């Protein structure tokens, strides 16, 4: 099978072209660096099957970050290259195009965002460009699908490398870029749009910082409110009104009691339907994941997708750059951090956009300790929310202070460089509703697929521990520490143990213990910080290596315990 | 300050006849003061004349769109020695203050 490699500068829409060609859904956004690893797909063009590789965006073939290194090696193995180019910024894209053509592989250039050139008053002579580059050039609009068929056909037919472009030095390449632009591009004057004005307002500190604070606060509250509304008006009526009684009846009909009954529906009965605490796979298991966590996951990813497609995140990166520098990071680290608020797994992967090992270590470690994923957050909202917003805010304020405090310490302890920010800030674009919904769904269903096995495993482990008397044993061994040092009931050990599998059920385990809001707050903070869930652990291990992971783990346990003790003293007293 | 060293080395390279790199000659025609990029005030436009020292850094600047001869406009400066935001031919770029100090620009007369 022939391999087609999609390559291009960051944020030119490679992933959208990829989705169009393969039908595979790939996450794309309006900021550089959404794709940090390559994605594979297959497509059939004129009866023949091709493998397609979507690689991270690069500015040149001299790699300066991990993501660019991946891209370079992919290019060298492919049979045909599709070079996706932003037609609205041809000049900045051409340098890479020349480098790619110099590899002497059959290449097709896709002039993407073609539709936008007209609004921007840019005129391009495609025939001339084709002639100068010596390879086919196809105008495309990946978002609307224009030109994709032609692109596929050209890629399948491409057999010859460029005859006009030969290997040259960096200086010659820049001169060539200049020559080509002079020959093929005419730019007409255009008027400023409302998006241009908004673009300026949101990066100027005097207006940008207040806008950012208000926007983030609004989004945080909106996620809580909308999530809770979905639970109150959709999930609870469904689970308590229809599903619960039905499943209890159904299970009772073939297993009125015994082990199977216990495992499936736990202590729930028709009269006393308790989906939060009955610990059955089909009662608590399904309810916590779909009824309590999913509503927040959906609302979070919807908001994230809006921010991404609009193009706000790079502006946020600029505004927080000064602050993040004090923590050894730079502004771009805000993107992985916000992704981490959804799930730490893609968050940790996204730290690859950071240039140095030091930045990556700090970003990943801080995320694992102080950035709660939406599954964690959802349960914190659900459990602490019933005692008032105050307790939720205490948890988040503690995590926020931890993030800053630890960052200040880590940047002094970790050796290595913290380079400065150098970032392209894309123009604002109007998000498309269909794309937003598709992206939200693709990420939410991804969450369900990833989370479900661990969730089921977690519920099984709890049942097993209760049945075998393991809970009492563990409580006796660790109970002393929990009660005297952290002020928590002995039973909380079961939550700490399960937290290694999944944080959401772990927090759910706190419910039957009858704790005060103060105790719950301490327990939530400890559960949020002490150790990542198993899925995050695996990714961290891969990204940081064994030694890095050992250091991070030591830090997590120390920090979590210390903060737990501190919060116990502050909230519960001695 | 290493910016001063940069300035002198830039002047030396250009020499009395203005024989610098290709773009430098153009720059010498419009009489403007050559200063680091960080000296611009919001809204001001200027022409890039030098990208500082170090091939790797120059290369990073060029491929993101910052090249000799380009007209840049300062959009915003973040407080606390934060990054500056530029407009280069319709594209916004954010660049750290230290890096911006390396880039020399010629103010419009």
């Amino acid at each position: 099978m022939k391999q087609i490699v999609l390559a291009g500068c960051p944020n030119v829409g490679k992933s959208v072209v990829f989705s169009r060609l393969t039908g595979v859904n790939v996450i794309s956004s309006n900021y550089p660096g959404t794709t940090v690893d390559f994605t594979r797909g297959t497509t059939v063009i004129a009866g023949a099957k091709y493998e397609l590789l979507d690689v991270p965006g690069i500015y040149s073939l001299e790699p300066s970050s991990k993501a660019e290194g991946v891209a370079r090696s992919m290019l060298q193995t492919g049979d045909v290259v599709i070079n996706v180019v932003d037609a609205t910024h041809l000049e900045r894209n051409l340098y890479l195009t020349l480098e790619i053509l110099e590899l002497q592989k059959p290449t097709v250039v896709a002039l993407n965002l073609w539709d936008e050139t007209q609004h921007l008053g840019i005129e391009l002579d495609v025939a001339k460009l084709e002639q100068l580059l010596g390879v086919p050039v196809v105008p495309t609009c990946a978002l609307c699908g224009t030109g994709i068929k032609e692109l596929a056909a050209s890629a399948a037919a491409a057999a010859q490398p460029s005859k006009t472009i030969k290997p040259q030095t960096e200086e010659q390449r820049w001169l060539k870029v200049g020559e080509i632009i002079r020959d093929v591009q005419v730019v007409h004057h255009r008027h400023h749009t409302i998006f241009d004005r908004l673009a300026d307002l949101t990066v100027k500190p005097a207006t940008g910082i207040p806008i950012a604070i208000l926007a983030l606060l609004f989004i945080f509250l909106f996620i809580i409110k909308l999530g809770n509304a979905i639970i109150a008006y959709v999930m609870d009526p469904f689970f308590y009104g229809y599903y619960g009684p039905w499943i209890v009846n159904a299970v009772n009909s073939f297993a009125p009691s015994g082990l199977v009954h216990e495992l499936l529906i736990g202590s729930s009965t028709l009269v006393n339907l308790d989906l939060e605490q009955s610990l059955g796979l089909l009662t608590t298991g399904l309810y916590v994941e779909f009824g309590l966590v999913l509503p927040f996951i959906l609302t979070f990813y919807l908001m994230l997708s809006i921010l991404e497609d609009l193009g706000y995140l790079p502006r946020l990166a600029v505004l927080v750059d000064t602050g993040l520098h004090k923590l050894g990071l730079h502004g771009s680290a805000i993107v992985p951090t916000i992704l981490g608020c959804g799930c730490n797994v893609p968050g940790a992967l996204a730290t690859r956009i950071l240039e140095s090992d030091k930045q990556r270590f700090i970003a990943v470690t801080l995320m694992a300790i102080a950035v709660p994923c939406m599954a964690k957050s959802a349960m914190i909202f659900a459990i602490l929310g019933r005692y008032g917003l105050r307790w939720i805010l205490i948890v988040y304020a503690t995590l926020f202070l931890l993030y800053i405090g630890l960052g200040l310490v880590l940047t002094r302890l970790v050796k290595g460089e913290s380079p400065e920010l150098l970032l392209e800030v894309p123009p604002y674009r109007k998000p498309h509703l269909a794309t937003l919904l598709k992206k939200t769904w693709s990420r939410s269903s991804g969450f369900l697929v990833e989370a479900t096995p661990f969730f089921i495993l977690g519920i099984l482990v709890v049942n097993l521990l209760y049945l075998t008397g393991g809970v009492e044993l563990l409580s006796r061994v660790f109970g002393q520490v929990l009660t005297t040092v952290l002020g928590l009931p002995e039973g909380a050990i079961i939550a700490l143990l399960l937290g290694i599998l999944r944080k959401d059920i772990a927090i759910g385990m706190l419910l039957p213990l009858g704790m005060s809001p103060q105790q719950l707050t301490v327990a939530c903070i400890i559960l949020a910080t002490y150790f990542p869930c198993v899925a995050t652990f695996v990714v961290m291990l891969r990204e940081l290596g064994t030694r890095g992971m050992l250091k991070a783990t030591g830090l997590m346990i120390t920090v979590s315990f210390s903060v737990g003790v501190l919060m116990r003293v502050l909230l519960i007293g001695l | 300050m290493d910016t001063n060293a940069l300035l002198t080395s830039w002047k030396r390279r250009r020499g009395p006849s203005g024989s610098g790199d290709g773009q430098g000659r153009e720059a010498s025609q419009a009489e403007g003061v050559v200063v680091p990029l960080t000296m611009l005030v919001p809204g001001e436009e200027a022409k890039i004349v030098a990208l500082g020292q170090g091939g790797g850094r120059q290369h990073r600047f060029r491929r993101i769109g910052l090249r000799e001869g380009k007209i840049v406009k300062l959009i915003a400066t973040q407080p606390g020695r934060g990054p500056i935001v530029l407009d280069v031919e319709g594209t916004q770029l954010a660049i750290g203050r230290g890096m911006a100090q390396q880039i020399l620009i010629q103010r419009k007369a």
Side-chain angles (χ1 to χ4, degrees), chain A residues 59-60 62 64 68 89 91-92 95 99 170 174 177-178 196 199-200 203-205 209 315 318-319 321-322 326 355 419-426, chain B residues 42 55 57-67 70 75-83 85 89-100:
Chain A
Y59 286 108
S60 95
E62 283 148 53
S64 72
E68 295 187 348
H89 293 111
E91 183 167 3
R92 260 174 326 116
Y95 186 85
E99 278 190 312
E170 191 189 327
W174 282 120
V177 169
D196 293 331
D200 287 0
V203 288
K204 285 186 177 161
I209 293 172
R315 290 173 175 85
V318 173
L319 293 173
D321 183 66
T322 316
K326 307 239 182 328
E355 292 91 347
E420 285 190 299
L421 183 74
L422 183 60
L423 180 72
E424 186 182 333
V425 184
Chain B
R57 176 165 283 184
Q58 288 186 353
H59 184 73
R60 273 189 85 195
F61 287 148
R62 287 201 186 103
R63 56 183 206 186
I64 201 168
L66 292 169
R67 288 164 54 197
K70 293 275 170 203
I75 310 264
T77 306
Q78 303 302 325
R81 287 193 54 76
V85 183
E89 295 176 339
T91 305
Q92 288 194 353
L93 298 175
I95 167 173
R97 197 72 65 100
M99 284 196 259

Side-chain angles (χ1 to χ4, degrees), chain B:
Chain B
M1 198 82 218
D2 68 334
T3 314
N4 282 327
L6 260 171
L7 262 170
T8 34
S9 81
W10 177 75
K11 279 172 191 152
R12 208 178 304 130
R13 255 189 298 133
R14 282 183 62 226
S17 59
S19 60
D21 43 85
Q23 316 272 8
R25 219 169 303 142
E26 238 177 282
S28 66
Q29 284 160 7
E31 281 309 317
V33 201
V34 173
V35 288
L37 186 53
T38 43
M39 300 290 283
L40 282 182
V41 293
E44 190 181 354
E45 286 191 358
K47 182 191 281 190
I48 298 181
V49 292
L51 293 177
Q53 282 148 337
R57 176 165 283 184
Q58 288 186 353
H59 184 73
R60 273 189 85 195
F61 287 148
R62 287 201 186 103
R63 56 183 206 186
I64 201 168
L66 292 169
R67 288 164 54 197
E68 295 92 338
K70 293 275 170 203
I71 304 290
V72 297
K73 180 176 160 193
L74 187 74
I75 310 264
T77 306
Q78 303 302 325
R81 287 193 54 76
I84 62 172
V85 183
L86 297 170
D87 180 295
V88 191
E89 295 176 339
T91 305
Q92 288 194 353
L93 298 175
I95 167 173
R97 197 72 65 100
M99 284 196 259
Q101 209 130 41
Q102 301 281 311
I103 297 177
L104 298 182
I105 45 108
Q106 187 165 42
R107 283 186 141 144
K108 292 226 163 133

